Amino acid sequence: KFIAAGAVDERFNNYGGEDRFWLGPEAGQFGLWFAPGEPFDTAHWKTPAGFDRGGFAITSQGRHSLATASQFDVSNASGTTFRCAVKRTISALDDEQAAEHLGVPMPSGVRMVAFESANTLVNAGPDAWTRKGGLLSIWTLGQFKPLPRGKVIVPFRPGDEKDLGPRAMTDYFCKLPPERGRLGDDCLLFSCDGQFRSKIGISPRRAKRVLGSFDPDAKVLTIVQFNLPSAAAKLPYVNSLWETQKDPFAGDVVNSYNDGEEYPGAGQFGPFYEIETSSPAAELKAGESITHAHRTYHFGGDLDALNALSRKVLGVDLGAIR
């Protein structure tokens, strides 16, 4: 619908994409989607033009990969401007590469399609990026068709909340109704039908380097994997809550968004759901860079084989969703 319209949308040029490049944070005093002094609501939400419009230049291309680059400025709600250079390489993955990355052999009776994005953000300006003026993170968002009976599967580290904090953030836009999220000791199942605006997040003290979703109707298991630093629990992650934040660097590593109307009759961007991962906040001197890798795997085929794969990689029995 957006492409057919043939016009630029000032707020969000949504043409989909299972691996969309964005920068965080979205909101808060250092948010990129809101101008200084504006309220944090949908009416004032506007995607930065630097990574929402125009193309990335192709710098090299092979049979199984494509390298691109772009350069742009973005400004946050505190008035800090960042000059960014971005390098982005997309690579198709074969069975052997997938098995190596996931640490499990590919089961028989299963078909796979998989790819990786390697995203590098460079401080292309003359000054260092510091916490005082706000920081950026690489924010990779996979946008998928909604699943009427499916769930996003988010495993996380178990443990006492006194030591690790909340198991999950479940009230980004509203308190998540119990029928839309099943929160266990080490996993969250999140409804992704594109019919209720909601979002969940996992902190760096809880996050694991994999998550996914399952479509019980099409019998498709999706797994998303990313490079989680070993010291993630001690690193700053940007906060995207739609409020003036007490701690703007106590954000999430992993998120999932389910699209829906903000209020009845408001309309919506989709419907769709998203699986998102983020890099740590980029405290970079001039010329320094940070890289974030994000892999997407789709598996279809024999249900028992898919279940065995899910149990090994995600630690979740798909029977809980079926």
Side-chain angles (χ1 to χ4, degrees), residues 269-280:
F269 290 124
F272 58 84
Y273 76 96
E274 291 179 320
I275 293 177
E276 314 167 8
T277 69
S278 293
S279 74

Side-chain angles (χ1 to χ4, degrees), residues 38-119:
E38 289 186 342
F40 302 119
D41 57 34
T42 306
H44 294 87
W45 183 91
K46 184 178 180 182
T47 312
F51 49 83
D52 186 50
R53 306 178 198 172
F56 277 55
I58 297 173
T59 57
S60 65
Q61 186 171 359
R63 287 189 63 196
H64 304 290
S65 65
L66 177 75
T68 66
S70 184
Q71 194 158 347
F72 51 82
D73 291 355
V74 291
S75 298
N76 66 22
S78 291
T80 304
T81 297
F82 304 86
R83 178 150 294 177
C84 305
V86 174
K87 301 174 184 178
R88 180 164 158 82
T89 301
I90 311 296
S91 304
L93 304 176
D94 59 26
D95 285 1
E96 184 176 336
Q97 291 169 312
E100 180 181 353
H101 288 312
L102 292 174
V104 296
M106 292 298 99
S108 59
V110 169
R111 304 179 306 279
M112 181 197 77
V113 119
F115 61 93
E116 173 190 79
S117 70
N119 308 277

Side-chain angles (χ1 to χ4, degrees), residues 298-322:
H298 297 295
F299 299 98
D302 180 76
L303 192 55
D304 288 338
L306 292 178
N307 194 32
L309 188 60
S310 175
R311 292 175 66 180
K312 290 178 181 177
V313 177
L314 297 173
V316 173
D317 191 307
L318 298 179
I321 298 172
R322 296 201 305 274

Side-chain angles (χ1 to χ4, degrees), residues 30-293:
F30 297 136
L32 303 177
W33 269 253
F34 298 92
E38 289 186 342
F40 302 119
D41 57 34
T42 306
H44 294 87
W45 183 91
K46 184 178 180 182
T47 312
F51 49 83
D52 186 50
R53 306 178 198 172
F56 277 55
I58 297 173
T59 57
S60 65
Q61 186 171 359
R63 287 189 63 196
H64 304 290
S65 65
L66 177 75
T68 66
S70 184
Q71 194 158 347
F72 51 82
D73 291 355
V74 291
S75 298
N76 66 22
S78 291
T80 304
T81 297
F82 304 86
R83 178 150 294 177
C84 305
V86 174
K87 301 174 184 178
R88 180 164 158 82
T89 301
I90 311 296
S91 304
L93 304 176
D94 59 26
D95 285 1
E96 184 176 336
Q97 291 169 312
E100 180 181 353
H101 288 312
L102 292 174
V104 296
M106 292 298 99
S108 59
V110 169
R111 304 179 306 279
M112 181 197 77
V113 119
F115 61 93
E116 173 190 79
S117 70
N119 308 277
T120 298
L121 171 66
V122 182
N123 177 355
D127 302 317
W129 296 348
T130 66
R131 298 191 191 196
K132 183 178 180 180
L135 296 172
L136 305 178
S137 69
I138 299 170
W139 188 12
T140 307
L141 306 91
Q143 187 176 101
F144 305 96
K145 293 181 180 179
L147 307 180
R149 297 195 310 125
K151 294 287 188 292
V152 171
I153 304 168
V154 191
F156 55 81
R157 290 182 58 201
D160 195 313
E161 293 195 356
K162 294 179 181 178
D163 301 321
L164 298 177
R167 289 171 290 170
M169 165 69 75
T170 59
D171 54 356
Y172 263 89
F173 302 120
C174 65
K175 187 174 178 59
L176 189 68
E179 68 272 15
R180 294 209 150 260
R182 192 184 311 169
L183 182 60
D185 293 331
D186 59 2
C187 181
L188 170 62
L189 300 181
F190 177 58
S191 295
C192 52
D193 57 4
Q195 298 299 314
F196 185 83
R197 185 171 180 258
S198 47
K199 183 176 178 178
I200 59 91
I202 305 294
S203 75
R205 287 184 289 177
R206 293 278 191 178
K208 292 190 173 183
R209 60 195 296 264
V210 291
L211 66 160
S213 66
F214 179 60
D215 181 353
D217 298 313
K219 296 182 177 61
V220 172
L221 173 66
T222 295
I223 293 176
V224 170
Q225 183 186 49
F226 64 103
N227 62 321
L228 179 67
S230 58
K234 299 179 180 179
L235 296 175
Y237 279 81
V238 300
N239 191 338
S240 284
L241 285 173
W242 287 32
E243 62 187 28
T244 300
Q245 302 151 358
K246 293 181 180 178
D247 191 343
F249 303 108
D252 297 325
V253 180
V254 163
N255 295 98
S256 181
Y257 170 75
N258 185 52
D259 192 40
E261 292 187 314
E262 185 177 14
Y263 54 87
Q268 59 188 105
F269 290 124
F272 58 84
Y273 76 96
E274 291 179 320
I275 293 177
E276 314 167 8
T277 69
S278 293
S279 74
E283 292 185 89
L284 304 177
K285 297 177 181 177
E288 290 184 338
S289 66
I290 188 172
T291 297
H292 182 67

